[in-house]
Amino acid sequence: MPLRIQDYIASFPIRFGFLDPATEPWKLTSALSHLIEQFATSLALSPFRNEAGIWVHKDATVEVGATIKPPAVISAACFVASTAYLRGGVVLDHGVTIGPACEVKRSIVMASSNVAHQSFVGDSLIGSDVNIEAGVVVANHFNELLEQEVTVYVGGQGVRTGVTKFGALIGDHSRVGANAVLTPGTVLPPHSVVARLALVDQRAD
């Protein structure tokens, strides 16, 4: 069964119209640092300031003490709190909030989503209107396994990704409770709810 990003994130083909709609999410995150330059050319650049490969909209707020490493796009109405750390290629769509002491690595976070304080999101695609509560870990690597290639499960079928780092595809309007852990390769359909302190390991489903 093919995994189409637009089945999980409805606005994705509109926001990233230059991409092949059949692009698999793990291939997108793996190449994200290179794709951000293409994405930047699709923006109306006049409201953005480009500071050495970091595009920040004039209506975004980046607090003193936040660390953003290029390349990155911070869109209108975003809020990046002090002590947040963005690296490896990050795109924040309109109205995204990244809380204090969060680390977001090589990921796209779509419009009106929130990543609360002390969370980690690695190599992931986060849909629109997703709320990730404090202390959530979206793990991107099987440090504990001999076989480290990430496999995702769609409709009960395993799909090998060919990569050793991929976090999650989280569908629109999902809710992830505080201190939950999503293991690498997690796929959550729209409107998913993950309980606080839950461990999501779809290899065992």
Side-chain angles (χ1 to χ4, degrees):
M1 175 183 293
L3 193 159
R4 304 190 315 162
I5 296 172
Q6 58 264 41
D7 292 337
Y8 296 81
I9 304 173
S11 62
F12 199 86
I14 300 169
R15 198 72 171 104
F16 295 90
F18 65 91
L19 289 174
D20 181 343
T23 301
E24 295 164 317
W26 47 90
K27 290 183 179 176
L28 175 57
T29 55
S30 294
L32 189 54
S33 60
H34 301 293
L35 292 173
I36 285 176
E37 289 188 8
Q38 290 180 262
F39 177 63
T41 64
S42 71
L43 299 171
L45 287 178
S46 58
F48 286 82
R49 62 182 186 275
N50 180 4
E51 299 178 357
I54 301 170
W55 289 267
V56 179
H57 195 279
K58 65 180 180 64
D59 293 330
T61 299
V62 178
E63 289 192 327
V64 174
T67 298
I68 303 174
K69 293 189 173 182
V73 174
I74 314 298
S75 300
C78 285
F79 177 84
V80 181
S82 179
T83 68
Y85 182 35
L86 279 56
R87 66 183 179 93
V90 172
V91 176
L92 305 183
D93 201 4
H94 183 277
V96 168
T97 296
I98 306 295
C102 287
E103 180 177 353
V104 181
K105 179 250 180 184
R106 208 160 63 176
S107 295
I108 295 173
V109 185
M110 297 297 286
S112 303
S113 289
N114 301 296
V115 182
H117 52 283
Q118 297 181 320
S119 294
F120 171 77
V121 175
D123 296 79
S124 296
L125 303 180
I126 311 299
S128 299
D129 184 39
V130 171
N131 190 55
I132 294 176
E133 290 186 338
V136 168
V137 175
V138 183
N140 62 341
H141 178 61
F142 283 117
N143 178 64
E144 73 279 19
L145 301 180
L146 291 176
E147 175 51 66
Q148 295 186 342
E149 180 183 348
V150 176
T151 297
V152 302
Y153 291 86
V154 183
Q157 295 183 339
V159 180
R160 297 186 64 170
T161 64
V163 301
T164 59
K165 290 191 176 181
F166 176 65
L169 171 60
I170 300 179
D172 296 333
H173 316 297
S174 292
R175 301 290 180 261
V176 182
N179 295 311
V181 176
L182 310 186
T183 56
T186 294
V187 176
L188 298 179
H191 300 280
S192 292
V193 176
V194 175
R196 293 179 178 90
L197 297 173
L199 170 63
V200 178
D201 188 348
Q202 295 176 330
R203 297 172 302 163
D205 291 350

